[in-house]
Amino acid sequence: MGSISEVPLLSEKHSGIPQNLLEKAKNAKALIYETRTKETNTRQRLPIIPQGIEKDIFIRALEKLAEQLGKDNVEVNDKPLVDGWYMEHPNTHDMMPILDDEELVASAVVYPSSTEEVQKIVLWANEYSVPIFPISMGRNLGYGGAAPRVRGSVVIDLGKRMSKILDINPDDYTCLVEPGVSFYALHEAIQAKGFAHMWIDIPDLGGGSVIGNTLDRGVGYTPYGDHWACHSGLEVVLPTGEVIRTGMGALPGNNTWQTFPYGFGPYSDGLFSQSNFGIVTKMGMTLMPNPGGHESFMYAFEKEEDLEPLMEIIRPLRIGNILENVAQVRHAIQTIAVKGLPRTKYFSGDGPIPEHVFREQLKKMPIGDHTWLYYGMSYGPPHIRQYKLEIIDKEFKKIPGARKIDPEILPEDEYFWSRDRIAAGVPDLVELLWVNWVPNGAHVAFSPVSPIRGVDAMKLFNLGKRRHDEFGIDFLPAFCVGLREMHLIVEIVYDKNDPAKRKAANDCLREMIDDAAKEGYGEYRTHLVLMDQVADTYNWNDNALMKFNEKLKDALDPNGIMAPGKSGIWPKRYRGRGWEMGKESGAKSEGDGVALTESTKF
Amino acid sequence: MGSISEVPLLSEKHSGIPQNLLEKAKNAKALIYETRTKETNTRQRLPIIPQGIEKDIFIRALEKLAEQLGKDNVEVNDKPLVDGWYMEHPNTHDMMPILDDEELVASAVVYPSSTEEVQKIVLWANEYSVPIFPISMGRNLGYGGAAPRVRGSVVIDLGKRMSKILDINPDDYTCLVEPGVSFYALHEAIQAKGFAHMWIDIPDLGGGSVIGNTLDRGVGYTPYGDHWACHSGLEVVLPTGEVIRTGMGALPGNNTWQTFPYGFGPYSDGLFSQSNFGIVTKMGMTLMPNPGGHESFMYAFEKEEDLEPLMEIIRPLRIGNILENVAQVRHAIQTIAVKGLPRTKYFSGDGPIPEHVFREQLKKMPIGDHTWLYYGMSYGPPHIRQYKLEIIDKEFKKIPGARKIDPEILPEDEYFWSRDRIAAGVPDLVELLWVNWVPNGAHVAFSPVSPIRGVDAMKLFNLGKRRHDEFGIDFLPAFCVGLREMHLIVEIVYDKNDPAKRKAANDCLREMIDDAAKEGYGEYRTHLVLMDQVADTYNWNDNALMKFNEKLKDALDPNGIMAPGKSGIWPKRYRGRGWEMGKESGAKSEGDGVALTESTKF
């Protein structure tokens, strides 16, 4: 069960997605695939050799590794670019590059089949001082995808061959998975077993790895949306090759690894999230009980400034669990963008689409003109939902002009139904349609953490709007409201084949990160190329936290081989050597002087 | 607000505790106080000097420290034993010793007033290689109280002077506290501000430190009962003296330290729970919204073997949040013990009270004869509660003879009302009454983690019963049912002045820990003297987790000064030197060859 080849793609079987949307999504995929198969000049002189190692030694080292893993499982990255989005492997690049296509590339990709083989790779990397970069499935879209932080790293693609669902426990509502298990695969396996009493929680796109998303502290949209908080138990290969199990997993013969997260002594799981301190090879995850009913609802708010009172209304309802899931408050322009059509259909000029243009469009659409949409879900049997929905309705309607949208009026391809599926734990892909907004569309996220407050929402909205206007980019904001905080999520959609557009996106992001930090807002997660900058904003007390992280890094990874630079944490041998890349947009920084000219296959 | 002297003790003002119970609790306190003021022979040759340091150097070192902190804030432990339970300081001992009174003693106690002073102490400890042992308030009853793990350590009593509630945020439902803030103090402060919309969650006894309990991963009895999961943000002094803030606290000027726990990069908070990797000087805590109504309920079950089907019924209801709080399933003998009267009132023989004796007693009591009691609380407005309570009633009554107990029949001193207060976030102390079960009563806990399953409950029950019978100890089991797991909590109540009783308690615990580990059950938390043994049970893959912890310890605490041996983690300089104590009951192990004969005051 659950091998990578069984991960459902866009087949109708796994979704309630209307056929026309599926087609669009498929087209989106094809579009990306097409643009990634182009061969660039750079491509001719690949693969990259990791800096600091002689080419011949590296080649011999790969041969040694191939002897251990099998020739087919050590692949030099010297082939035409292939999209890894929902395709099979190799996972050699960020399929949504924010720098030059060939900036964040692997020298080779290796495919372990077991924890033992991951250990072998790690020991090998220590022997040859080769930077390695583990990925689960490489689908961290908008945050770097399958790409390594350091050019020429050897990517460890865990998901290709380690994709087993090791356990689904229908009594405890838990599971144990390997890195290659996607949300789709997990959902399908639960359905196949007939466990209708259990739901999974999924992020906006269901094609990614459960482990990968959780380790990056991604969120979903049911009451189990805080994936990190919902995990229980890790198996980790340390940078020096040892294997630990955390929590109750450290007790031989235990029966609670997936039910009690903490174990005894220091609770170290958090060290392995957003870090480069180890490779997670197994993870326990709790599953949500079927709530016995659910009901999506949507409210439209007229004016931009309605955001302010809306957040004040949301906060106590969210903390009080009347609003039960991570709710999205999305700007009206997203209503248009997520339909999956190019922006040129609405506006052919340069710069951001003028407000009057998108308002004209909105008027023609079922929801009608508005500025903000709230997407929520109520859980439980009808009378329990009614209790909560009545409170919500009363509160939301305190805002003049607030309208509850009757789902009955919405066509089957309306985005509402995608959110409805997601908040009910059914994996979905519709969200990716808005990459079609521009040609060769890719996206990259600005995602600062904020209190749930009107004044903060407006401040962040204005901050983003100002910078988007400055760089001539359409501003597509949404607020994801957690329990006591919210993330503003702004996805910049750009033409990834256009260096000027990439640069504009990168520059805009960097300005927004700095603007936000000055006001006390920090990113919860970021793209590989922005990690140094974001880490630099968490610099309280003379960068004490980073110094602490570096101390841990030096202790756990003395040879500095594990994902150097991830989350801004550099091993000693890289520190202070100008490894930061892309602060000046597109600037290459390391390791591109050495490239193989021949194709090498083991 | 919130200074230690304002921490409410047993005053009527802070509780709904009936007067007669208060008196009993006061008597219990007096009893302990009385027994602790005795002077022992050992006491005459105190204080202990930490091993490895010359007496003169140690005295001069303390003088140096006193110059920095003020003479009154560096106190040598050479005075008569004073109970620290709910008394003022000093906190020099475990007030519930499981070894000899003078085994786990501090050489001195120091009282910092600020994070900066904690840094000074830590730097001082590094300079002189003095083991230090931080405590918040020293009220970790049953797990070591105020005592250090290594005899002769300098105890850092954080709570005496660092007891400020730094923030209570009525919009975000959060607070920020120092180590000396007790659950009572926090509750009182929230009441004093009139914030009726916010509850705190409290453990069984409300007199302890919010930080201390949370760092030891203690639990409470509202839906916010997982204290560790509910915290957000730490300020930590590292063993080498640096100060970090975790989560959003690392971002200068942030506004989300208490609302978003994770921040950016590795989430390291867990490293500082149940560990010796740092001293937590500030902690954020989330507060529970007033649920708009609450209702305690209790069910009685007749037979011992009812436990098995009961757990099978509880599990899905608990995961499904129909049972909303950490519920207690308590054995009938506890119904008697918690009344606060000595066991001799019921039975004057040796060995465990025979079943027919306590059954006779039960028949005279309002609840009547039974074997198990379930204490629960339903939250929300009446019709929401009714929905849940009806499901619970239907399910529980599937067990033949199950009875719902009408609270109306229960007198005001019935323990039910204590659980009612606790599950409503009102601090309480009634639980401590059962230390009166034996003369000079103290308690120590066996608390293994188990799946919520009938078969496991019975296995653990029988395991504990067998060992208690073997050692002639009354068996007082309760199951605390978390979300997907339960802890069996067995408190052994013993006469702390009777070496034979202490030895029996210790031996019984050690046998149960090993018995449980063989069956896959591990402790979630343990007493200082049992930490090595418990840590040894988490030994998967050749003790890989402990080796990992030791690697972290060596990196963070190179001089090995911070709480050596806590959770079984020994710094390099102590490792392999036979520091384990008390495996043979009462055996002293280190540092007791050097004692000052004169009283030294700075």
Side-chain angles (χ1 to χ4, degrees):
Chain A
M1 147 189 318
S3 84
I4 193 74
S5 62
E6 295 171 59
V7 174
L9 305 183
L10 287 162
S11 81
E12 299 78 339
K13 178 172 155 228
H14 307 104
S15 69
I17 308 178
Q19 196 54 38
N20 58 338
L21 271 191
L22 267 180
E23 287 306 318
K24 284 181 193 166
K26 278 178 183 160
N27 290 341
K29 188 180 78 173
L31 184 72
I32 286 160
Y33 181 80
E34 186 188 341
T35 64
R36 297 308 301 271
T37 50
K38 75 184 168 63
E39 297 217 4
T40 62
N41 288 337
T42 331
R43 188 88 304 218
Q44 307 311 317
R45 44 189 192 84
L46 293 185
I48 299 300
I49 304 297
Q51 206 185 49
I53 181 169
E54 297 286 325
K55 173 182 154 184
D56 290 352
I57 295 174
F58 182 64
I59 296 300
R60 278 201 301 276
L62 285 178
E63 284 169 348
K64 288 276 185 196
L65 188 60
E67 283 169 19
Q68 296 190 69
L69 304 186
K71 291 189 175 196
D72 290 346
N73 300 314
V74 177
E75 208 162 3
V76 173
N77 177 22
D78 58 358
K79 287 162 279 301
L81 276 174
V82 176
D83 170 44
W85 194 341
Y86 288 102
M87 299 300 294
E88 285 298 327
H89 297 258
N91 263 332
T92 53
H93 293 71
D94 184 359
M95 72 292 283
M96 294 187 168
I98 182 77
L99 303 179
D100 181 277
D101 240 7
E102 297 295 342
E103 178 66 48
L104 296 174
V105 286
S107 55
V109 186
V110 298
Y111 307 104
S113 69
S114 65
T115 301
E116 292 68 29
E117 288 195 353
V118 174
Q119 288 179 276
K120 285 179 187 170
I121 296 165
V122 167
L123 292 172
W124 169 87
N126 276 284
E127 186 180 346
Y128 293 97
S129 291
V130 171
I132 51 178
F133 193 89
I135 59 171
S136 291
M137 294 176 69
R139 294 176 187 179
N140 199 8
L141 304 186
Y143 296 107
R149 173 65 186 84
V150 164
R151 191 157 192 254
S153 297
V154 171
V155 162
I156 307 177
D157 184 334
L158 301 158
K160 187 179 181 188
R161 300 172 71 210
M162 296 174 72
S163 54
K164 288 190 287 297
I165 298 171
L166 299 165
D167 186 44
I168 297 177
N169 188 316
D171 296 321
D172 294 335
Y173 295 69
T174 61
C175 63
L176 181 67
V177 296
E178 289 189 327
V181 176
S182 71
F183 291 94
Y184 266 111
L186 183 57
H187 182 259
E188 186 180 52
I190 290 169
Q191 300 300 306
K193 283 178 179 285
F195 293 150
H197 64 301
M198 296 193 301
W199 284 16
I200 65 169
D201 184 277
I202 48 163
D204 293 287
L205 297 176
S209 158
V210 176
I211 287 185
N213 180 279
T214 304
L215 292 180
D216 215 34
R217 299 201 295 260
V219 299
Y221 297 89
T222 74
Y224 277 49
D226 182 348
H227 294 168
W228 183 253
C230 289
H231 97 282
S232 183
L234 301 177
E235 179 183 270
V236 186
V237 176
L238 298 176
T240 41
E242 303 89 344
V243 185
I244 62 170
R245 289 186 178 172
T246 66
M248 301 306 293
L251 195 134
N254 81 83
N255 39 29
T256 43
W257 194 17
Q258 273 64 70
T259 52
F260 183 65
Y262 302 136
F264 177 78
Y267 175 51
S268 38
D269 287 37
L271 281 189
F272 303 105
S273 68
Q274 291 193 5
S275 87
N276 49 15
F277 297 156
I279 300 176
V280 175
T281 46
K282 294 183 180 67
M283 185 184 75
M285 197 74 190
T286 57
L287 300 168
M288 177 174 151
N290 184 330
H294 57 96
E295 182 174 354
S296 279
F297 58 92
M298 178 162 65
Y299 283 82
F301 302 91
E302 282 181 0
K303 299 190 293 283
E304 209 162 272
E305 58 269 31
D306 289 342
L307 184 64
E308 187 157 352
L310 177 58
M311 287 302 175
E312 295 297 314
I313 289 168
I314 287 173
R315 188 183 57 247
L317 295 180
R318 187 74 185 91
I319 295 174
N321 211 24
I322 298 297
L323 296 170
E324 296 162 274
N325 67 338
V326 167
Q328 289 213 344
V329 180
R330 292 167 74 106
H331 193 269
I333 193 169
Q334 289 214 9
T335 316
I336 300 169
V338 80
K339 296 193 82 66
L341 300 170
R343 75 193 286 276
T344 48
K345 182 157 170 76
Y346 313 108
F347 180 63
S348 56
D350 277 340
I353 292 190
E355 179 155 347
H356 73 270
V357 174
F358 74 75
R359 294 227 171 269
E360 282 308 309
Q361 278 306 313
L362 290 172
K363 282 172 193 157
K364 298 179 207 159
M365 290 161 64
I367 298 168
D369 194 13
H370 64 275
T371 299
W372 299 103
L373 287 183
Y374 181 101
Y375 295 87
M377 174 80 92
S378 185
Y379 301 90
H383 67 290
I384 299 293
R385 299 200 305 265
Q386 190 192 344
Y387 160 68
K388 295 176 280 198
L389 289 169
E390 281 173 4
I391 295 173
I392 295 164
D393 195 66
K394 182 163 156 276
E395 292 296 314
F396 279 15
K397 287 198 174 148
K398 287 179 178 169
I399 298 176
R403 288 180 289 128
K404 184 168 186 176
I405 307 294
D406 179 3
E408 295 294 318
I409 69 164
L410 300 174
E412 63 170 9
D413 69 346
E414 167 61 40
Y415 177 70
F416 173 87
W417 299 112
S418 169
R419 292 241 70 86
D420 180 58
R421 285 186 291 274
I422 290 171
V426 179
D428 201 75
L429 293 169
V430 169
E431 187 84 21
L432 65 80
L433 286 174
W434 43 257
V435 296
N436 290 334
W437 190 242
V438 298
N440 313 307
H443 64 86
V444 61
F446 170 59
S447 37
V449 175
S450 163
I452 311 174
R453 281 188 218 289
V455 61
D456 291 294
M458 290 308 294
K459 210 193 274 184
L460 281 168
F461 176 78
N462 290 326
L463 180 162
K465 183 83 168 65
R466 193 171 60 244
R467 289 295 185 186
H468 278 67
D469 286 349
E470 179 185 337
F471 289 97
I473 301 169
D474 287 321
F475 182 45
L476 308 172
F479 290 90
C480 289
V481 185
L483 193 59
R484 281 179 173 75
E485 50 74 44
M486 61 190 182
H487 303 359
L488 166 63
I489 304 285
V490 177
E491 293 282 5
I492 296 184
V493 183
Y494 60 96
D495 178 344
K496 66 179 179 293
N497 290 352
D498 182 338
K501 298 289 189 195
R502 288 200 308 254
K503 178 169 163 37
N506 199 341
D507 289 352
C508 182
L509 276 167
R510 291 189 180 279
E511 295 290 354
M512 289 192 297
I513 290 167
D514 281 348
D515 290 346
K518 277 181 203 131
E519 302 282 340
Y521 308 105
E523 310 302 293
Y524 93 104
R525 181 182 184 188
T526 200
H527 190 282
L528 290 172
V529 305
L530 303 169
M531 285 176 172
D532 286 324
Q533 185 187 359
V534 169
D536 278 352
T537 66
Y538 286 77
N539 61 10
W540 182 80
N541 193 23
D542 195 24
N543 240 344
L545 186 62
M546 181 53 77
K547 289 173 185 167
F548 173 73
N549 286 336
E550 288 178 349
K551 195 180 276 194
L552 295 177
K553 182 67 177 169
D554 292 344
L556 297 174
D557 185 11
N559 296 323
I561 51 100
M562 179 86 66
K566 180 92 180 283
S567 293
I569 302 166
W570 293 96
K572 196 173 256 174
R573 65 175 171 131
Y574 288 78
R575 242 170 262 156
R577 291 176 56 190
W579 290 94
E580 291 185 35
M581 74 170 64
K583 275 210 170 170
E584 302 310 314
S585 71
K588 288 212 183 70
S589 52
E590 76 250 24
D592 61 345
V594 190
L596 292 179
T597 46
E598 73 273 44
S599 175
T600 312
K601 174 72 182 170
F602 301 99
Chain B
M1 143 191 322
S3 86
I4 195 74
S5 61
E6 295 170 62
V7 175
L9 305 182
L10 287 163
S11 80
E12 298 76 342
K13 178 171 157 230
H14 307 104
S15 69
I17 308 178
Q19 195 54 38
N20 60 337
L21 271 192
L22 267 181
E23 287 308 318
K24 284 181 194 165
K26 279 177 185 161
N27 290 340
K29 189 179 77 172
L31 183 71
I32 286 158
Y33 180 82
E34 186 189 340
T35 64
R36 297 309 302 271
T37 52
K38 75 183 167 66
E39 298 217 4
T40 62
N41 288 337
T42 332
R43 186 92 305 219
Q44 306 310 317
R45 45 187 191 85
L46 293 183
I48 300 300
I49 304 297
Q51 205 185 48
I53 181 169
E54 297 286 326
K55 172 182 154 185
D56 291 351
I57 294 174
F58 182 64
I59 296 299
R60 279 202 299 278
L62 285 178
E63 285 169 348
K64 287 276 186 196
L65 188 60
E67 284 169 20
Q68 297 190 69
L69 303 186
K71 290 188 177 196
D72 291 345
N73 300 315
V74 176
E75 208 163 2
V76 172
N77 177 24
D78 57 357
K79 286 163 280 301
L81 277 173
V82 176
D83 170 43
W85 194 340
Y86 288 102
M87 300 299 295
E88 286 298 327
H89 299 257
N91 264 331
T92 52
H93 294 71
D94 184 358
M95 71 291 283
M96 294 186 169
I98 182 77
L99 303 180
D100 181 277
D101 240 8
E102 296 296 341
E103 177 67 47
L104 296 173
V105 285
S107 54
V109 186
V110 298
Y111 307 104
S113 69
S114 64
T115 302
E116 291 68 28
E117 289 196 351
V118 174
Q119 289 179 275
K120 285 178 186 169
I121 296 165
V122 167
L123 293 172
W124 169 86
N126 275 283
E127 188 181 345
Y128 293 97
S129 291
V130 172
I132 51 178
F133 194 89
I135 60 170
S136 291
M137 296 177 69
R139 296 178 186 178
N140 199 10
L141 303 186
Y143 297 107
R149 173 66 185 84
V150 164
R151 192 157 192 253
S153 296
V154 171
V155 162
I156 307 178
D157 184 335
L158 301 157
K160 185 178 183 190
R161 300 171 72 209
M162 297 174 72
S163 55
K164 287 190 289 296
I165 297 171
L166 300 165
D167 186 43
I168 297 177
N169 188 316
D171 296 322
D172 294 335
Y173 296 68
T174 61
C175 63
L176 181 67
V177 296
E178 289 188 329
V181 176
S182 71
F183 291 94
Y184 265 111
L186 182 58
H187 182 258
E188 185 180 53
I190 289 169
Q191 299 300 306
K193 284 179 178 283
F195 293 151
H197 64 301
M198 296 194 300
W199 286 15
I200 65 168
D201 184 278
I202 50 163
D204 292 286
L205 297 176
S209 158
V210 177
I211 287 185
N213 179 277
T214 303
L215 292 180
D216 215 34
R217 300 202 294 261
V219 300
Y221 298 89
T222 75
Y224 277 49
D226 182 349
H227 294 166
W228 184 252
C230 289
H231 98 282
S232 183
L234 301 176
E235 179 184 88
V236 186
V237 177
L238 298 176
T240 41
E242 303 89 343
V243 185
I244 62 170
R245 289 186 177 172
T246 65
M248 301 306 291
L251 195 135
N254 80 83
N255 39 29
T256 43
W257 194 18
Q258 273 65 68
T259 52
F260 183 65
Y262 301 135
F264 177 77
Y267 174 50
S268 38
D269 288 37
L271 281 190
F272 303 106
S273 69
Q274 291 194 2
S275 87
N276 49 14
F277 297 156
I279 300 176
V280 174
T281 47
K282 293 182 180 70
M283 185 184 76
M285 197 72 191
T286 58
L287 300 168
M288 178 173 150
N290 184 331
H294 57 97
E295 184 174 352
S296 278
F297 58 92
M298 177 161 66
Y299 283 82
F301 302 91
E302 283 181 2
K303 299 189 292 286
E304 209 163 270
E305 58 268 32
D306 288 343
L307 184 64
E308 186 157 351
L310 177 58
M311 286 303 176
E312 295 297 315
I313 288 168
I314 287 173
R315 188 183 57 246
L317 294 180
R318 187 74 186 91
I319 296 174
N321 211 25
I322 298 298
L323 296 170
E324 297 163 272
N325 67 338
V326 168
Q328 289 212 346
V329 180
R330 291 166 75 105
H331 193 268
I333 193 169
Q334 290 214 7
T335 314
I336 300 169
V338 81
K339 295 192 84 66
L341 299 171
R343 76 193 284 277
T344 49
K345 184 161 168 72
Y346 313 108
F347 181 63
S348 57
D350 277 337
I353 292 191
E355 179 156 348
H356 73 270
V357 175
F358 75 74
R359 293 229 171 266
E360 282 308 310
Q361 277 306 314
L362 290 172
K363 282 173 190 157
K364 298 179 206 158
M365 291 163 62
I367 298 166
D369 194 13
H370 63 277
T371 300
W372 298 103
L373 286 183
Y374 181 102
Y375 294 87
M377 174 80 94
S378 185
Y379 300 90
H383 66 290
I384 299 295
R385 299 201 303 266
Q386 190 192 344
Y387 161 68
K388 294 176 281 198
L389 290 169
E390 281 174 3
I391 295 173
I392 294 164
D393 196 66
K394 181 160 158 277
E395 293 296 316
F396 279 14
K397 288 198 173 147
K398 287 179 178 168
I399 298 176
R403 288 180 290 129
K404 185 170 187 176
I405 307 295
D406 179 3
E408 295 296 318
I409 69 163
L410 300 174
E412 61 171 10
D413 69 347
E414 167 61 39
Y415 176 70
F416 174 86
W417 299 112
S418 169
R419 292 240 71 85
D420 180 57
R421 287 186 289 275
I422 289 171
V426 179
D428 200 74
L429 294 169
V430 169
E431 186 85 20
L432 64 81
L433 287 175
W434 43 256
V435 296
N436 290 334
W437 190 243
V438 297
N440 313 306
H443 63 87
V444 61
F446 170 59
S447 37
V449 175
S450 163
I452 311 174
R453 283 191 217 287
V455 61
D456 291 293
M458 291 307 295
K459 210 192 277 183
L460 282 169
F461 176 77
N462 290 326
L463 180 162
K465 183 82 168 64
R466 193 170 59 242
R467 289 294 184 187
H468 277 66
D469 286 348
E470 177 183 341
F471 289 97
I473 301 170
D474 287 322
F475 183 45
L476 308 171
F479 290 90
C480 289
V481 186
L483 194 60
R484 280 181 174 74
E485 51 73 42
M486 62 190 181
H487 302 359
L488 167 63
I489 305 284
V490 178
E491 293 283 4
I492 296 184
V493 183
Y494 61 96
D495 179 345
K496 65 180 180 294
N497 290 352
D498 182 338
K501 298 289 190 195
R502 289 201 308 255
K503 177 167 162 38
N506 199 341
D507 289 351
C508 181
L509 277 166
R510 291 189 181 279
E511 295 290 353
M512 290 192 297
I513 290 166
D514 282 347
D515 290 346
K518 278 183 203 129
E519 301 282 340
Y521 308 105
E523 310 301 291
Y524 93 105
R525 181 182 184 189
T526 201
H527 190 283
L528 291 172
V529 305
L530 304 169
M531 284 175 173
D532 286 325
Q533 186 189 358
V534 170
D536 278 351
T537 66
Y538 287 77
N539 62 9
W540 182 81
N541 193 23
D542 195 24
N543 240 344
L545 186 63
M546 181 53 77
K547 289 174 185 167
F548 172 73
N549 286 336
E550 289 179 347
K551 195 180 275 193
L552 295 177
K553 181 68 178 168
D554 292 343
L556 296 173
D557 185 11
N559 296 322
I561 52 98
M562 179 84 68
K566 179 94 181 282
S567 293
I569 303 166
W570 293 97
K572 195 174 258 174
R573 65 174 171 132
Y574 289 78
R575 241 169 262 156
R577 292 177 54 192
W579 291 93
E580 289 185 36
M581 74 171 62
K583 275 207 170 172
E584 301 311 312
S585 72
K588 289 214 182 68
S589 52
E590 76 248 27
D592 62 344
V594 190
L596 292 179
T597 47
E598 73 273 46
S599 175
T600 313
K601 174 73 183 172
F602 302 98

